[in-house]
Amino acid sequence: MVQKEWLTFVSRHTESGRSLPAHVYREFESFLQCGALANGFLRLKCDSCAHEKLIAFSCKKRGFCNSCGARRMSEQAVFLTDWVLPKVRVRQWVLSVPIPMRYWMARNPKLMGVVLSIFLRVITGFQREKAKSLGFKGGESGFVTLIQRFGGSCNLNVHFHTLAIEAVYRKVAGTEGPKVLSHDLPAPTTDEVKALLEIVQTRVVRALKRRGLIGDESEDNASGEYGDDTPELMELCQGASVAGRIGLGENAGQPVRRIGSFGEPGERAMKVGPRSAILGGFSLHAKTEVPPDERESLEKLCRYISRPAIAEMRLSEDRNGNIVYRFKKEWSDGTEAVTFTPLEFIEKLVALIPEPRRHLT
């Protein structure tokens, strides 16, 4: 589909004077060459049986290439499990932010770093207090955060998946590595998660007000001190993707079409489960944990948070030539999938591409 429609997408919008950043063009062009033997390969030969295998070069991009994303997912999961995360209990903290902030953070990586720093400082303080209640003063914990830019419906949704080791460490003089002060910090309660989310929300809102992003007389100044002017076409794609709408073409401004039974408005309310909280568009989830001895489960969790943006096996084409993306789980309102025209789907892929030289781990 990309091979057929990418040049049509480019020509249609460049004729109107709009353009995309150079790294977006490179992403698509590299994707179309990924895995093609004609563009170069490695030739492997077994010394004993003389069996040969050709391995095509990959694009190594981070936006939406399912093949490169899956390879990176597997490598990163093994690396984190075998070399980074110690054999203590690990908890996953997932922080989501209000829709306008997702758009601002997608355009401004520095603002994303501010929000992430606030979040990690709050969790660090919480773990230190837990350790202090057990008689351990001082020390540091450790975190690995994967910044996911995508949601389950091919939408732009910047949020954080943080793996936190539930132990406190301190450097001891004369030793090669840190010493564990507390192996097993108590798990957070639902009330504690709610309290932590209140602190995160308060501090993030305060930071946004200081930067003029929100307030009584504020304007959308998301680019401001945090980034260069984003090309107009990229702004449209990202803004529409965050809002769950179509940004370009004949359906511009319309909601993304859904497939499934919707029910009556307000019929099924969203529930907040154990160790989860929602407040003012912010949500915090801390239910998932992995015991110290379950390394296979930890690797599976690392694969989940490192997964590529698009699950290719859930993509299909209907009889009208539209692209259907089915969900792993049905939404609370009964929605099972979303559907796009080919050009609308390319628009969604454009919005998912991160800026170059910006860390996502």
Side-chain angles (χ1 to χ4, degrees), residues 70-293:
R71 175 181 52 81
R72 189 178 294 109
M73 171 189 69
S74 299
E75 292 176 348
Q76 187 152 262
V78 172
F79 175 69
L80 292 177
T81 303
D82 292 352
W83 295 98
V84 177
L85 296 170
K87 291 185 178 181
V88 297
R89 189 174 66 218
V90 175
R91 182 172 304 279
Q92 178 187 219
W93 296 78
V94 182
L95 176 67
S96 296
V97 299
I99 289 177
M101 280 188 59
R102 300 173 192 176
Y103 174 59
W104 295 340
M105 292 195 302
R107 290 179 55 194
N108 303 296
K110 289 185 179 180
L111 178 61
M112 187 192 309
V114 170
V115 177
L116 179 57
S117 297
I118 291 173
F119 175 50
L120 294 184
R121 285 198 298 269
V122 171
I123 302 301
T124 299
F126 170 73
Q127 292 198 342
R128 284 178 175 173
E129 289 298 320
K130 285 282 187 179
K132 186 177 180 181
S133 67
L134 298 176
F136 302 101
K137 295 183 179 180
E140 295 287 345
S141 186
F143 309 93
V144 176
T145 299
L146 275 295
I147 302 172
Q148 289 192 356
R149 294 173 50 86
F150 56 89
S153 58
C154 299
N155 61 313
L156 179 62
N157 178 8
V158 179
H159 60 290
F160 306 117
H161 287 254
T162 295
L163 299 182
I165 56 174
E166 295 203 315
V168 176
Y169 293 77
R170 183 171 61 194
K171 178 68 176 177
V172 178
T175 61
E176 294 183 357
K179 178 181 178 181
V180 179
L181 298 182
S182 173
H183 273 287
D184 193 13
L185 295 178
T189 65
T190 301
D191 289 338
E192 287 173 334
V193 172
K194 291 180 179 179
L196 290 173
L197 183 58
E198 291 178 1
I199 297 173
V200 171
Q201 185 217 32
T202 300
R203 294 183 181 180
V204 170
V205 169
R206 186 187 306 153
L208 295 177
K209 287 183 177 179
R210 284 200 304 265
R211 289 155 178 84
L213 293 175
I214 59 175
D216 295 335
E217 298 179 356
S218 67
E219 298 178 357
D220 183 357
N221 186 30
S223 53
E225 61 177 297
Y226 290 104
D228 300 328
D229 291 336
T230 307
E232 181 184 2
L233 187 54
M234 194 65 173
E235 290 183 15
L236 287 172
C237 293
Q238 290 180 333
S241 184
V242 167
R245 295 181 177 272
I246 303 300
L248 305 169
E250 59 184 13
N251 295 321
Q254 298 297 317
V256 171
R257 290 165 289 170
R258 300 181 181 182
I259 300 174
S261 57
F262 290 81
E264 295 297 326
E267 182 180 353
R268 286 181 258 183
M270 297 295 293
K271 296 181 179 180
V272 179
R275 298 192 179 99
S276 303
I278 298 177
L279 176 63
F282 292 82
S283 70
L284 183 60
H285 185 281
K287 181 182 178 182
T288 303
E289 63 178 50
V290 180
D293 55 344

Side-chain angles (χ1 to χ4, degrees), residues 28 36 88 140 193 202 274 280 304 326 335 357-358:
F28 277 90
V88 297
E140 295 287 345
V193 172
T202 300
Y304 168 74
R326 299 203 168 272
T335 305
R357 296 175 294 279
R358 300 291 187 180

Side-chain angles (χ1 to χ4, degrees), residues 339-361:
T339 180
F340 311 93
T341 67
L343 292 180
E344 290 171 355
F345 187 67
I346 289 181
E347 174 194 322
K348 298 306 174 188
L349 296 181
V350 167
L352 296 178
I353 299 173
E355 292 184 8
R357 296 175 294 279
R358 300 291 187 180
H359 292 300
L360 297 180
T361 303

